[in-house]
Amino acid sequence: MSSNPDIETIQITKDNLEKLKFNSEGLIPVIAQDYKTGEVLMMAWMNLHSLRDTLKNGKASYWSRSRQAYWVKGESSGHFQYVKEIFYDCDGDTLLMKVDQVGAACHTNKRSCFYRKIQ
Amino acid sequence: MSSNPDIETIQITKDNLEKLKFNSEGLIPVIAQDYKTGEVLMMAWMNLHSLRDTLKNGKASYWSRSRQAYWVKGESSGHFQYVKEIFYDCDGDTLLMKVDQVGAACHTNKRSCFYRKIQ
């Protein structure tokens, strides 16, 4: 258990997974945030398989909606995301993952995918 | 334009909105982040109308998928989100909004919706 009384922790068991809501495609959005700086790096999607693998391996894996494929972040670029903590929101339909990001999170080689601003 | 050469800025015009990808329901996910502390507060959805209103009024408004309704954050609770900056990601299908959050972002009265941790 966390020492912070505001934080509840769960184990990923069958019962606990029922707290998470995957959408009609079996996916849940995941916000990846730099665990040190707090910079939001990217948003991607996981299915149950990639979430289990992420927890098991300590490296983020996702589901690519465009390629319809399981995807280990950094597999081709070396830009792995080592997972520190995963939180889920009040509705259980979004994850926030604190990561130790190797290199760039974005495929454009920017640190964060959010490098363009609306004004 | 921003003084940071890594940041590109756009005006929300008809052309620029074409850079944003709303999903098949006309929605785009929005990550709300505390502009001072970097804490990720919540994730919600906007349609074009709520994005335009957010930009016009400087206060976040969303589209509630469960209620199928336009929704000004804080309208009933007083917990408004004053918008400082909005970024969009490399794919143009997610927004990151830096906000000055009044009170709690979560309907449970927690500061952030991400108060439960997977272990």
Side-chain angles (χ1 to χ4, degrees), chain A residues 21-107:
Chain A
K21 287 179 207 148
F22 294 83
N23 71 11
S24 59
E25 296 170 276
L27 303 176
I28 190 166
V30 183
I31 302 160
Q33 183 182 31
D34 186 300
Y35 86 108
K36 274 194 219 157
T37 67
E39 184 178 17
V40 174
L41 300 169
M42 56 183 273
M43 207 277 271
W45 298 76
M46 284 186 185
N47 59 12
L48 182 53
H49 173 66
S50 49
L51 176 57
R52 283 197 190 281
D53 264 23
T54 297
L55 288 163
K56 187 175 144 205
N57 302 326
K59 282 191 297 193
S61 61
Y62 297 99
W63 177 259
S64 166
R65 294 179 307 165
S66 56
R67 291 184 287 112
Q68 288 285 301
Y70 172 82
W71 162 52
V72 176
K73 172 74 184 163
E75 203 169 34
S76 54
S77 64
H79 294 162
F80 294 103
Q81 292 177 333
Y82 294 96
V83 177
K84 297 293 185 179
E85 292 174 304
I86 305 179
F87 297 86
Y88 61 104
D89 73 350
C90 52
D91 296 327
D93 64 3
T94 306
L95 300 179
L96 172 64
M97 192 169 62
K98 309 254 186 172
V99 301
D100 185 359
Q101 172 72 56
V102 177
C106 190
H107 73 286

Side-chain angles (χ1 to χ4, degrees), chain A residues 6-12 33 38 65 85-90 93 113 115-119, chain B residues 6-12 33 38 65 85-90 93 113-119:
Chain A
D6 275 354
I7 302 293
E8 302 163 19
T9 58
I10 60 164
Q11 301 292 322
I12 283 284
Q33 183 182 31
R65 294 179 307 165
E85 292 174 304
I86 305 179
F87 297 86
Y88 61 104
D89 73 350
C90 52
D93 64 3
C113 293
Y115 58 88
R116 291 176 297 183
K117 189 159 102 171
I118 296 174
Q119 275 195 333
Chain B
D6 275 354
I7 302 293
E8 303 162 18
T9 57
I10 60 164
Q11 301 292 322
I12 283 286
Q33 182 181 31
R65 296 180 305 166
E85 293 174 304
I86 306 180
F87 297 86
Y88 61 104
D89 73 351
C90 52
D93 65 2
C113 294
F114 296 95
Y115 58 88
R116 292 174 297 183
K117 190 158 100 170
I118 296 174
Q119 276 196 334

Side-chain angles (χ1 to χ4, degrees), chain B residues 30-42:
Chain B
V30 183
I31 302 160
Q33 182 181 31
D34 187 300
Y35 86 108
K36 276 195 217 155
T37 65
E39 184 178 19
V40 174
L41 300 169
M42 56 183 274

Side-chain angles (χ1 to χ4, degrees), chain B residues 63-79:
Chain B
W63 177 259
S64 166
R65 296 180 305 166
S66 55
R67 290 184 288 113
Q68 289 286 300
Y70 173 83
W71 161 52
V72 176
K73 172 74 185 164
E75 203 170 31
S76 54
S77 64
H79 294 161

